[in-house]
Amino acid sequence: MIKEVLQETQPVFYQTLLSAFSQDKIPHAFLLTSQKGVDIHEIALFIAKCLICDQEVLACEACNDCRRIEEMNYIDLKYYNGKDESIKKRHIEQIQEEFSKSSVEGKAKIYILENIDNATPEAMNTLLKTLEEPVPGIYAILTCENMNRVLPTIISRCMVIHFRALSMKGLIDAVVAKGVKQEDANLLASIYDGAGKIIETANSELYQELKVEALNFIEDYFLKHDNLIINAQTHIFKNHKEKDEINLFLDLVMMGLRDVLYQSYGLTTLYCDHAKQFELYHQDPERLIQAIEQILYAKEQIRRNANVLLLMDSMMYHL
Ligand SMILES: [Zn+2]
């Protein structure tokens, strides 16, 4: 439940939202701003759920509507992420046109515009006009990293909520309090910013399977190096060919190798349940650093859409 995590980690936001919704003083536009290290997308979707859900004052996160918003599968929810391609005037006009028709779902209509600080000046002006003449039942949820790049007149029409990045420890503690095992919290907080994403991943079969594969790979790397390639080809790379899966696997392997290195300097390990096992592993620190660099290189190539399986073969020959 993201709600409970937000209540604990972003109490000011939570209380503001709760009092707006319980007093029926819901603003027609929200502007969420954050430093890096906050999963603002998760929070934007949470607000959208609050606007739609009939079950609780905020969102129940379990009903059909909440789930469809989570899956971005709710017809009256429009979404643009201006990260890779800036939001243009035509995107705003498209939303206006769609929303001028009657509601498909029979409830609020919501648009989420992320990275509004990357929108073109024309888009910002069109958006401003929309916000100046709010239509009942239509809500805007905007996000940005840099408020200085958003028109002040847009800012003044929104409820502005600033999110502070949680410290790594704060994030780990928050998800552990929600039942995630310490080791999984340590590992996943190094990969993801959002508590919701960490909890969901920790509870997924896929992650638990990839973690076992990563631990086997690490063991082979140190103790049965001759078998590393054949074991990897018959296990992990036989069953997992998707980019995201390989990426997560590589992260888990890399953190293990790093743990072994750190452990040799007397530092604590992210894989806290495997510290004893890792003590059996020895490697020249120089070679360990090279192996970590090989994995980082492979991750970068995956990001550039290289052929994953060829890349993994080449990576293993270099390890
Ligand atoms: Zn609900």
Side-chain angles (χ1 to χ4, degrees):
M1 289 280 207
I2 295 164
K3 180 166 58 178
E4 290 166 9
V5 177
L6 286 173
Q7 187 173 8
E8 221 163 278
T9 57
Q10 305 283 356
V12 177
F13 159 72
Y14 186 86
Q15 284 311 323
T16 311
L17 200 65
L18 186 62
S19 70
F21 275 78
S22 50
Q23 293 166 32
D24 224 0
K25 288 183 182 155
I26 305 170
H28 69 274
F30 298 84
L31 175 61
L32 316 179
T33 109
S34 76
Q35 302 157 330
K36 282 195 169 47
V38 175
D39 188 343
I40 204 88
H41 176 70
E42 187 172 278
I43 298 171
L45 285 185
F46 177 70
I47 296 177
K49 288 176 205 164
C50 295
L51 290 164
I52 298 296
C53 183
D54 296 324
Q55 307 297 317
E56 292 177 19
V57 178
L58 295 179
C60 75
E61 298 184 82
C63 71
N64 195 23
D65 286 339
C66 282
R67 281 208 303 268
R68 281 165 60 219
I69 288 179
E70 180 70 34
E71 291 156 11
M72 308 266 272
N73 192 5
Y74 189 87
I75 300 170
D76 286 333
L77 172 70
K78 303 290 169 213
Y79 174 79
Y80 284 107
N81 188 332
K83 190 166 185 217
D84 296 325
E85 189 205 348
S86 56
I87 295 168
K88 311 268 188 331
K89 186 178 174 187
R90 66 184 156 85
H91 294 134
I92 315 273
E93 287 172 342
Q94 241 163 15
I95 294 171
Q96 285 172 329
E97 201 200 310
E98 293 264 351
F99 280 180
S100 64
K101 302 169 195 159
S102 56
S103 157
V104 179
E105 305 272 3
K107 292 186 183 176
K109 301 175 191 175
I110 303 163
Y111 56 101
I112 299 178
L113 302 176
E114 287 192 37
N115 299 294
I116 192 72
D117 39 350
N118 277 347
T120 62
E122 295 77 21
M124 285 218 210
N125 277 316
T126 311
L127 177 64
L128 175 62
K129 283 194 205 107
T130 315
L131 296 175
E132 277 170 346
E133 292 158 20
V135 178
I138 298 185
Y139 298 90
I141 304 172
L142 317 173
T143 80
C144 72
E145 255 181 40
N146 186 349
M147 281 246 288
N148 296 331
R149 282 161 52 187
V150 180
L151 284 181
T153 35
I154 289 184
I155 297 173
S156 72
R157 309 237 157 223
C158 298
M159 176 192 261
V160 179
I161 309 170
H162 183 78
F163 294 90
R164 281 181 199 292
L166 281 186
S167 66
M168 179 81 105
K169 189 178 176 307
L171 184 58
I172 291 173
D173 290 349
V175 297
V176 167
K178 292 288 157 258
V180 175
K181 282 171 66 183
Q182 183 73 47
E183 179 170 277
D184 294 331
N186 293 346
L187 294 169
L188 293 171
S190 306
I191 305 176
Y192 304 119
D193 293 332
K197 178 76 180 167
I198 293 174
I199 296 170
E200 184 197 317
T201 309
N203 290 328
S204 74
E205 265 177 46
L206 175 67
Y207 161 73
Q208 294 298 342
E209 197 185 315
L210 291 175
K211 189 177 146 193
V212 171
E213 294 284 9
L215 285 163
N216 290 340
F217 189 92
I218 294 165
E219 186 179 350
D220 286 347
Y221 175 80
F222 288 103
L223 303 182
K224 295 173 236 160
H225 202 276
D226 290 346
N227 297 345
L228 182 71
I229 294 178
I230 186 74
N231 280 350
Q233 277 165 346
T234 49
H235 287 95
I236 173 75
F237 300 128
K238 182 160 180 267
N239 302 323
H240 301 280
K241 299 181 174 21
E242 295 293 323
K243 246 169 97 166
D244 289 349
E245 296 174 7
I246 299 290
N247 233 331
L248 180 53
F249 169 77
L250 291 179
D251 279 329
L252 292 168
V253 170
M254 193 167 64
M255 287 188 277
L257 298 184
R258 219 163 40 193
D259 267 358
V260 174
L261 183 69
Y262 287 173
Q263 210 172 28
S264 68
Y265 300 136
L267 300 170
T268 52
T269 55
L270 296 177
Y271 278 96
C272 52
D273 297 342
H274 293 80
K276 275 263 166 296
Q277 191 182 329
F278 283 10
E279 279 172 17
L280 305 172
Y281 301 158
H282 297 285
Q283 176 65 281
D284 169 30
E286 283 290 312
R287 280 202 55 200
L288 212 42
I289 291 167
Q290 277 169 16
I292 293 168
E293 281 172 356
Q294 281 298 330
I295 298 176
L296 281 172
Y297 173 78
K299 279 175 60 69
E300 174 60 21
Q301 294 302 310
I302 291 178
R303 205 179 61 78
R304 293 167 184 249
N305 280 326
N307 180 310
V308 173
L309 295 181
L310 287 179
L311 190 63
M312 288 302 100
D313 280 343
S314 127
M315 180 192 82
M316 284 188 294
Y317 280 106
H318 285 97
L319 284 181

